[in-house]
Amino acid sequence: MKCLIIAAGKGSRLRSLTEAKPLISLKGIPLIDRVIDSALKAGVDDFYVVIGYQGTLIRSHLEAVSRAKNISITIIENEEWERANGVSVLKAKQYLDEPFFLLMSDHIFDAEIACQLVLQSSGNKGILLAVDENLGNPFIDMDDVTRVLAEKSRIQEIGKGIESYNCFDTGIFLCDPALFSAIEKSSEEAGDDSLSGGVRILAQEGKANVMPVNGLFWCDIDDPQNFKQAENYLSSQTKNCAE
């Protein structure tokens, strides 16, 4: 199983804690290492990471991770990292011609979510997105989260500003290469080169499905408040295990 991780953005709201957001240490483990570890538990054995802002630092770190964990990590440069995140996805097009996980370097999550995606992937065409149906989840930043409207497990609409929604995008996807052409089509026809733009195209084609996470943990580490929430959660889990 292959996995594409997007780690190209600036992460400006966490600049007070780090210069390179994917490398910020959460309970002694960098965010991107946590993402990689969760993917490994789900059976991933081949990683592709798109870097941009602070690329030299992140590249050096990933090369060390590759050696330490004895895993394949292909590093892909995105010099257009200030554009929408769909551009970073497209940078990996030449490397991925089979189903793959798509993850964000700042979204940490319970590995069971990825495991369940694999179990529900049979015959999947397009994308299968893990969504959170708990609209009161205290980890959610309502000003930043991508909202999703789904009916009968199919995405009807997706975006940060939509008013009608019934779940949240966790940033954890199982995709096939159709995603690349969908982002390209969105860019050409609507001038929208975001990942959500590509998902909208697939939704119109009936190729964008959802899988609820059923209360499993995930968190977008987007600002100091999210960071502290995740830190407290992981501390409580460690304490429970010790007890």
Side-chain angles (χ1 to χ4, degrees), residues 63-238:
E63 289 172 348
V65 170
S66 177
R67 292 190 297 269
K69 296 181 181 292
N70 192 29
I71 56 176
S72 172
I73 302 179
T74 299
I75 300 170
I76 304 167
E77 295 274 358
N78 177 12
E79 296 178 353
E80 302 174 284
W81 58 266
E82 292 183 277
R83 293 177 62 189
N85 56 0
V87 175
S88 288
V89 176
L90 287 177
K91 296 296 182 182
K93 180 179 178 180
Q94 64 178 302
Y95 300 93
L96 300 166
D97 58 1
E98 60 191 75
F100 61 95
F101 277 115
L102 171 59
L103 306 174
M104 310 299 128
S105 64
D106 56 354
H107 287 210
I108 63 172
F109 60 94
D110 188 326
E112 182 61 23
I113 296 175
C115 293
Q116 289 185 11
L117 280 175
V118 173
L119 291 176
Q120 297 193 30
S121 66
S122 178
N124 180 61
K125 299 295 182 182
I127 65 153
L128 181 59
L129 168 62
V131 296
D132 190 347
E133 295 179 325
N134 178 12
L135 301 186
N137 186 338
F139 289 94
I140 299 296
D141 179 350
M142 290 302 298
D143 293 328
D144 186 68
V145 69
T146 298
R147 306 170 185 186
V148 179
L149 177 64
E151 294 180 6
K152 296 181 179 179
S153 297
R154 286 193 173 182
I155 295 176
Q156 305 299 313
E157 184 57 276
I158 184 170
K160 291 189 177 183
I162 64 174
E163 295 184 3
S164 180
Y165 60 94
N166 53 16
C167 51
F168 299 121
D169 172 357
T170 67
I172 307 165
F173 297 77
L174 187 63
C175 310
D176 71 18
L179 176 61
F180 300 123
S181 57
I183 295 174
E184 290 171 337
K185 184 176 181 179
S186 174
S187 180
E188 293 167 4
E189 295 185 355
D192 182 356
D193 49 16
S194 68
L195 173 56
S196 291
V199 173
R200 289 189 197 99
I201 295 296
L202 290 174
Q204 293 168 10
E205 299 172 354
K207 297 179 180 178
N209 298 316
V210 299
M211 182 204 77
V213 298
N214 297 321
L216 293 171
F217 171 76
W218 72 281
C219 185
D220 175 4
I221 311 296
D222 203 49
D223 59 26
Q225 180 180 344
N226 296 138
F227 181 87
K228 188 62 177 178
Q229 285 179 305
E231 190 174 50
N232 290 340
Y233 173 83
L234 293 172
S235 295
S236 71
Q237 294 301 107
T238 302

